[in-house]
Amino acid sequence: MAKQFNVALIGNPNTGKTSVFNQLTGLNQKVGNYPGITVERKEGICKLDRGVKAHILDLPGTYSLNASSLDENVVIEVLLNKNDKDFPDVAIVVCDVENLKRNLLLFTQIKDLGIPTILAINMADRMKRKAISLQIPEMEKRLETKIALISSRKNEGFDELKELISNYKQLSTAPCVDASVIAPDYFDRLRKTFPNQDLYKLWLVITQDVNFGKLDRNAFQGVASFKTESKSNLKRLQQKETIRRYQFINETLKDTLQVDSANAKDFRSKLDRVLTHKVWGYVIFFGILLLIFQAIFDWSSYPMDFIDESFASLSEWTKNTLPKGDFTNLLAEGIISGLGGIIIFIPQIAFLFLFIAVLEESGYMSRVVFLMDRVMRRFGLSGKSVVPLVSGTACAIPAIMATRNIENWKERLITILVTPFTTCSARLPVYLIIISLVIPEERVLGIFSLQGLTLMFLYLLGFGAAILSAYLLDKVLRIKTKTFFVIEMPNYKVPMFKNVAITVIEKTKSFVLGAGKIILAISIILWVLASYGPGDFNNAEEIVRQENIGKTTSEDDIETQIASFKLENSYIGIMGKAIEPAVAPLGYDWKIGIAIVSSFAAREVFVGTLATIYSVGSEEEETIKNRMAAEVHPVSGVPRFNFASGISLLLFYAFAMQCMSTLAVVRKETNSWKWPLWQLGAMTVIAYVVALAAYQFLK
């Protein structure tokens, strides 16, 4: 059996840590959550020489071990608890060659914990262009470690890095800085009180309590009884420690790092002046959004049509090939049609994640955060709130988790409450199918698709609703707070194909598999409810044929009437008729009402539900879109999905909280059912009122 040991990958945000993780692990990785908390956990396997495997744990980005957020506290937890199964045998600290001074603060702290530590200096391919030179042997001597000069973009230096990982037992564990010199008397008391404990680890445990209060973790025995310094004095000592470390770092870099600024070929500053301009910055950002939404409709139309037609053909083939019976009907009308309702949107969802990944990889997303801070401040938020709001376009669940980086409780709470307004990828299937039904395929100025503009409007509407809600909550919630906005502007870089590809594959797979489980279960339940019923359901054929006696009705029309009669008198039909009075004023029938109710499990279930309902009893090979387009109002004879009802439905989903998983995360993050229940109630009322007003005005 191959040997395996733990490697912790640590670094400041924007040092290319994710790229290094991807290079070391490839697709041998998985994403989950840390036990008991909603912080994302990435881990993978790196195969080394001689059959040895390294278990790589990619820890959340942190600037130092003086943590200021719950995300950063995860790093502290892993590094301080030797009994943790993830405790590293060796740590790799990833640094950016252009920001060594700031990055080395974290390195010195980790090395002082006595953990064998490798320094991986990333983006080495920039050194020539930035006129940077390093004296690696001298730096290794000063830091008492081994250094790997790597470039994740060009895949250079990783063989050397893997060799250092394999030989980690040869690394020195001597500390870089003696932290006890900042307060000799205090540290001497610590040493005497806890003679068997590592002094620097003990110091970190005590100081982290300043930031987080009582934590549920394996603390050192006896710490609670130790008469420590006041909180203000411990803060002062933390600052003294940081100053001491920077003195050491400055002395080290003075002799090992040379930067010839005069010969550097840098256009970053010029580009920043344009992309963060108070006018042109917003124009460019708006233009990029417009490009994204045009691409989502135009580029993905061909694969979508192919998938839609393929599932319609598969359903028809199943009916005609397999023996007739309930199982065949379940397979063709329930499972295949239900799954077809979500798989059809893989191309568009993949394009959405593709664009988000490219914006993040290029460094532009940080400029968007900085740019939007000017807007956020006026509504009681800071630029830090933009990260959850922007990432909410993928999924509200990780977006709400991302609020852990907001130290201010009021800002964090408001951000959690308004983030579900932003249009997530789960809403995308609903938007796309309804837009394609009610918005004509025309172009504005011969360039811009009207459907793409409508989709962009819905995204902007969601973001606007989030901002307006934040403004109102800021006025209503009486919580006195004070906060500061700090964000790092990473260097621009050409997105790495490997990182973008892994992001798109993993996110799309997660979306499809996560939604697929729900849709499969709901599709089976809905099919059963639509295929069986009490009373008249069982006598449908006799009743319909009796009604058609004396009429010149064709056999095909009679069969259609029988299928329609069965559906209306099935269990799902009875349930739908019961809720129809509540949704009729919005322009919906009982079928749409059932789809809305079922989509409370997950928004994207809406399309799968309608696909299942409309396919029950259907003998024709039709696509989901065609079935929905063929629905007509029984009285007026107009299409059920017309402009008025379509806009009403789009607006309902733009504002409604249609996701149980999001509510569960809000409950976990706020530690109370009060906020998610208020959130659910308020968003549902807003969605209903807006949809009602839109339909009544447009009909």
Side-chain angles (χ1 to χ4, degrees):
M1 184 178 292
K3 298 178 181 177
Q4 185 169 306
F5 56 91
N6 289 338
V7 179
L9 200 60
I10 312 169
N12 293 179
N14 300 310
T15 56
K17 184 165 63 69
T18 299
S19 299
V20 175
F21 176 73
N22 288 338
Q23 290 286 8
L24 289 174
T25 61
L27 290 173
N28 297 317
Q29 55 184 251
K30 60 181 180 179
V31 179
N33 287 334
Y34 287 91
I37 54 176
T38 51
V39 176
E40 188 175 82
R41 169 195 180 99
K42 292 170 67 179
E43 56 186 319
I45 299 296
C46 176
K47 296 179 181 178
L48 305 172
D49 294 335
R50 300 180 294 278
V52 177
K53 294 181 180 179
H55 172 255
I56 312 282
L57 180 64
D58 184 12
L59 293 173
T62 180
Y63 288 102
S64 74
L65 295 186
N66 302 325
S68 60
S69 72
L70 294 174
D71 266 2
E72 293 177 336
N73 191 50
V74 169
V75 181
I76 306 292
E77 294 287 339
V78 172
L79 296 180
L80 291 185
N81 188 3
K82 279 192 174 182
N83 295 321
D84 193 312
K85 66 180 181 66
D86 292 322
F87 184 80
D89 297 291
V90 57
I92 302 174
V93 178
V94 181
C95 293
D96 175 359
V97 72
E98 295 182 59
N99 295 290
L100 276 176
K101 180 178 178 179
R102 188 193 63 231
N103 297 164
L104 285 174
L105 172 65
L106 179 62
F107 169 83
T108 61
Q109 288 183 304
I110 291 171
K111 192 166 188 304
D112 288 2
L113 289 173
I115 299 172
T117 308
I118 299 168
L119 181 63
I121 301 179
N122 194 17
M123 306 180 193
D125 54 304
R126 293 177 175 269
M127 290 175 61
K128 186 175 181 180
R129 181 150 43 95
K130 300 289 184 179
I132 298 173
S133 61
L134 294 172
Q135 305 298 323
I136 298 297
E138 181 63 22
M139 188 178 286
E140 288 181 333
K141 182 179 177 183
R142 296 288 188 94
L143 298 176
E144 294 191 72
T145 190
K146 288 295 181 180
I147 297 174
L149 205 57
I150 62 175
S151 169
S152 52
R153 172 170 305 284
K154 296 188 175 181
N155 194 22
E156 295 175 350
F158 282 89
D159 289 339
E160 291 81 356
L161 178 58
K162 290 178 181 180
E163 186 66 27
L164 293 177
I165 296 172
S166 299
N167 299 317
Y168 74 91
K169 292 183 180 179
Q170 299 176 14
L171 295 171
S172 169
T173 56
C176 292
V177 177
D178 182 5
S180 66
V181 299
I182 62 175
D185 292 341
Y186 177 74
F187 276 85
D188 190 50
R189 280 191 289 125
L190 274 179
R191 188 179 292 107
K192 290 178 180 177
T193 307
F194 307 99
N196 299 321
Q197 299 293 349
D198 181 280
L199 204 57
Y200 188 59
K201 284 187 179 180
L202 190 60
W203 164 247
L204 285 178
V205 169
I206 293 170
T207 53
Q208 297 319 302
D209 282 349
V210 174
N211 292 313
F212 296 103
K214 186 177 180 180
L215 291 176
D216 182 17
R217 65 167 184 244
N218 295 324
F220 289 94
Q221 294 295 322
V223 171
S225 63
F226 177 72
K227 292 183 179 180
T228 187
E229 299 288 329
S230 65
K231 290 184 177 181
S232 59
N233 199 34
L234 285 175
K235 285 282 190 184
R236 186 179 60 81
L237 292 178
Q238 271 188 321
Q239 293 167 357
K240 288 183 69 175
E241 179 203 346
T242 302
I243 292 170
R244 176 76 177 174
R245 291 188 181 281
Y246 272 124
Q247 288 173 342
F248 168 76
I249 292 167
N250 288 337
E251 287 295 319
T252 300
L253 295 181
K254 184 174 68 175
D255 300 326
T256 59
L257 171 68
Q258 290 81 39
V259 181
D260 186 2
S261 301
N263 293 321
K265 302 170 184 178
D266 187 20
F267 67 97
R268 169 180 163 175
S269 299
K270 295 179 181 178
L271 199 54
D272 272 345
R273 280 195 290 271
V274 176
L275 294 180
T276 60
H277 190 269
K278 61 183 180 181
V279 176
W280 295 114
Y282 294 103
V283 172
I284 293 170
F285 180 47
F286 187 83
I288 290 172
L289 287 179
L290 189 58
L291 172 66
I292 291 173
F293 298 125
Q294 292 297 311
I296 285 176
F297 263 101
D298 291 346
W299 298 357
S300 60
S301 60
Y302 298 107
M304 283 187 70
D305 289 343
F306 172 76
I307 293 170
D308 199 10
E309 291 168 5
S310 297
F311 269 87
S313 299
L314 179 60
S315 178
E316 188 67 16
W317 179 88
T318 303
K319 284 184 180 181
N320 295 333
T321 306
L322 297 181
K324 292 189 179 297
D326 285 349
F327 177 76
T328 299
N329 291 336
L330 169 62
L331 198 59
E333 299 171 353
I335 296 174
I336 294 176
S337 295
L339 291 179
I342 188 64
I343 293 176
I344 184 177
F345 298 106
I346 288 179
Q348 285 160 320
I349 290 166
F351 275 123
L352 177 66
F353 287 128
L354 170 67
F355 281 110
I356 291 174
V358 168
L359 292 179
E360 289 178 343
E361 275 278 306
S362 65
Y364 178 67
M365 192 65 83
S366 294
R367 273 75 185 176
V368 172
V369 173
F370 173 77
L371 188 68
M372 295 306 296
D373 181 57
R374 301 169 186 168
V375 177
M376 295 290 101
R377 287 179 186 175
R378 300 173 186 174
F379 297 93
L381 299 175
S382 76
K384 287 185 178 180
S385 301
V386 174
V387 176
L389 291 177
V390 171
S391 60
T393 58
C395 180
I397 295 169
I400 289 170
M401 296 176 197
T403 62
R404 286 171 171 256
N405 286 323
I406 304 174
E407 297 89 350
N408 183 302
W409 169 242
K410 182 180 179 180
E411 287 183 0
R412 184 177 174 220
L413 177 61
I414 292 175
T415 307
I416 287 172
L417 294 177
V418 304
T419 292
F421 277 117
T422 57
T423 297
C424 66
S425 55
R427 283 187 177 106
L428 202 53
V430 183
Y431 286 173
L432 296 172
I433 197 76
I434 302 301
I435 287 173
S436 66
L437 288 171
V438 303
I439 304 298
E441 295 183 21
E442 297 177 2
R443 293 194 175 268
V444 179
L445 303 176
I447 303 173
F448 304 114
S449 162
L450 199 57
Q451 294 181 339
L453 289 173
T454 304
L455 181 62
M456 182 175 178
F457 169 76
L458 289 167
Y459 270 78
L460 294 177
L461 180 66
F463 192 79
I467 296 298
L468 179 60
S469 301
Y471 177 78
L472 296 174
L473 287 171
D474 182 52
K475 301 300 180 185
V476 172
L477 296 176
R478 299 297 177 185
I479 305 174
K480 291 186 178 181
T481 54
K482 187 176 182 181
T483 189
F484 302 95
F485 174 63
V486 179
I487 188 170
E488 178 185 3
M489 293 291 196
N491 286 311
Y492 295 103
K493 55 185 179 180
V494 177
M496 289 180 61
F497 174 79
K498 183 176 183 179
N499 287 352
V500 172
I502 288 176
T503 298
V504 172
I505 292 169
E506 290 299 319
K507 296 289 187 182
T508 305
K509 184 172 71 174
S510 175
F511 175 85
V512 172
L513 292 180
K517 293 175 185 176
I518 300 172
I519 289 171
L520 182 61
I522 290 180
S523 294
I524 293 172
I525 293 169
L526 290 173
W527 179 86
V528 171
L529 292 174
S531 299
Y532 298 95
D536 289 346
F537 176 89
N538 300 303
N539 302 313
E541 184 171 356
E542 181 182 340
I543 294 171
V544 171
R545 290 191 182 278
Q546 186 70 30
E547 290 176 350
N548 281 278
I549 292 176
K551 297 180 182 179
T552 56
T553 310
S554 68
E555 187 62 27
D556 287 343
D557 287 342
I558 291 176
E559 290 296 331
T560 302
Q561 289 180 33
I562 292 171
S564 178
F565 184 90
K566 279 188 171 183
L567 190 58
E568 287 197 34
N569 290 275
S570 65
Y571 291 113
I572 200 171
I574 294 168
M575 293 166 58
K577 293 291 184 180
I579 64 172
E580 191 169 38
V583 298
L586 309 183
Y588 315 152
D589 64 356
W590 66 269
K591 297 177 185 177
I592 298 175
I594 288 292
I596 288 174
V597 172
S598 64
S599 68
F600 268 93
R603 297 177 182 96
E604 60 272 31
V605 171
F606 175 84
V607 180
T609 299
L610 288 180
T612 301
I613 292 174
Y614 291 153
S615 68
V616 173
S618 174
E619 296 296 331
E620 298 178 14
E621 181 182 327
E622 287 186 301
T623 64
I624 297 166
K625 181 180 174 181
N626 289 342
R627 289 185 191 131
M628 293 175 71
E631 279 290 300
V632 295
H633 193 284
V635 178
S636 64
V638 299
R640 172 60 68 186
F641 294 95
N642 53 53
F643 184 75
S645 64
I647 295 298
S648 170
L649 200 50
L650 289 173
L651 291 175
F652 182 86
Y653 273 94
F655 295 111
M657 165 64 87
Q658 296 283 109
C659 183
M660 295 296 102
S661 299
T662 301
L663 285 175
V665 170
V666 173
R667 159 67 180 84
K668 191 170 186 66
E669 294 297 313
T670 60
N671 198 30
S672 168
W673 276 112
K674 170 187 173 182
W675 298 113
L677 291 177
W678 270 104
Q679 189 180 38
L680 174 63
M683 292 182 70
T684 303
V685 169
I686 292 170
Y688 189 90
V689 171
V690 172
L692 175 65
Y695 179 72
Q696 296 300 327
F697 178 76
L698 294 172
K699 71 175 182 178

